[in-house]
Amino acid sequence: SSDLADVDLPELVRSNPILARQLEDPNFAALAHDDTANLSGLEQTARYGLNVGKSLLAGVYGASEGLLGTLEAGAGAMSQYLTRPLASAHLLPEDTGLRIEAGIRELRQTQTAARKYFTPKAESTLEAGVYGGLQSLSQNLITLPAALISGNPALALGSMSAMTGGQSYGKARDKGLDTGMALSSAFRSEEHTS
């Protein structure tokens, strides 16, 4: 057991904010003063458990973000190479590919925002690596049933590459790159995952 007087209060407040708030209550402090180390460990364990769950959920949103980014890239390519030239030649009333790309982009951006929201803030490089690995794991496990059902692992690997490329395309478009540059960025990221 540890005595409350031996506790590093600034560290306690930083690493265990809930326990620190509770210890402000004199009744709670009188009961818990011998158990601050155990209560601190319990709070940290609960936080890590919650962050593991959030990381796995962020991966689900990441998969959706990647899929929508892939569709957005297809619509962007359709606009640049088909519907924009046809609209410019007055063979189409408007660039429908551009409209489709914008609609898909809006959906993708909601998934990007959700992924970022659920991605836990890590306190160390190791912790960030663990959370990133769990996010990647859940994102990639989504593609596993396609490989298992078909007996073809290329389906899962292709889906993983498409998700990575879709995320890269979306990031590039969000930074203001044109369709051609964003497609180039997406293809470069897919080369690293295939």
Side-chain angles (χ1 to χ4, degrees):
S1 79
S2 66
D3 187 73
L4 194 54
D6 297 333
V7 172
D8 178 358
L9 289 178
E11 176 60 22
L12 179 73
V13 169
R14 186 193 69 73
S15 63
N16 299 283
I18 296 170
L19 178 59
R21 272 194 312 272
Q22 287 298 114
L23 288 171
E24 291 174 2
D25 176 358
N27 294 326
F28 181 84
L31 289 171
H33 73 278
D34 286 340
D35 293 319
T36 54
N38 291 336
L39 291 170
S40 174
L42 182 62
E43 180 177 345
Q44 288 178 352
T45 300
R47 184 175 49 250
Y48 291 135
L50 177 63
N51 285 345
V52 164
K54 287 172 67 176
S55 296
L56 294 170
L57 186 56
V60 173
Y61 283 107
S64 179
E65 172 192 15
L67 171 65
L68 288 167
T70 301
L71 294 174
E72 181 184 355
M78 180 176 77
S79 169
Q80 182 163 340
Y81 301 112
L82 180 64
T83 60
R84 185 180 309 147
L86 290 174
S88 295
H90 305 290
L91 297 172
L92 285 177
E94 68 174 311
D95 182 354
T96 53
L98 184 65
R99 181 182 289 219
I100 293 167
E101 181 187 22
I104 295 170
R105 178 176 304 117
E106 188 175 317
L107 290 173
R108 181 200 39 84
Q109 288 172 335
T110 64
Q111 300 305 293
T112 301
R115 178 187 51 79
K116 289 178 179 179
Y117 174 79
F118 284 108
T119 299
K121 303 293 180 243
E123 295 182 22
S124 70
T125 304
L126 176 63
E127 192 177 339
V130 169
Y131 297 151
L134 290 168
Q135 184 174 332
S136 181
L137 175 70
S138 67
Q139 180 173 311
N140 291 328
L141 282 177
I142 290 172
T143 66
L144 198 56
L148 293 174
I149 291 169
S150 69
N152 183 357
L155 284 176
L157 295 173
S159 298
M160 290 175 198
S161 291
M163 283 189 286
T164 301
Q167 287 174 334
S168 293
Y169 180 84
K171 285 178 189 173
R173 289 295 278 157
D174 289 346
K175 288 179 181 175
L177 294 179
D178 67 21
T179 301
M181 293 299 292
L183 284 169
S184 175
S185 173
F187 285 124
R188 281 195 311 273
S189 74
E190 284 184 14
E191 288 173 2
H192 297 294
T193 59
S194 352

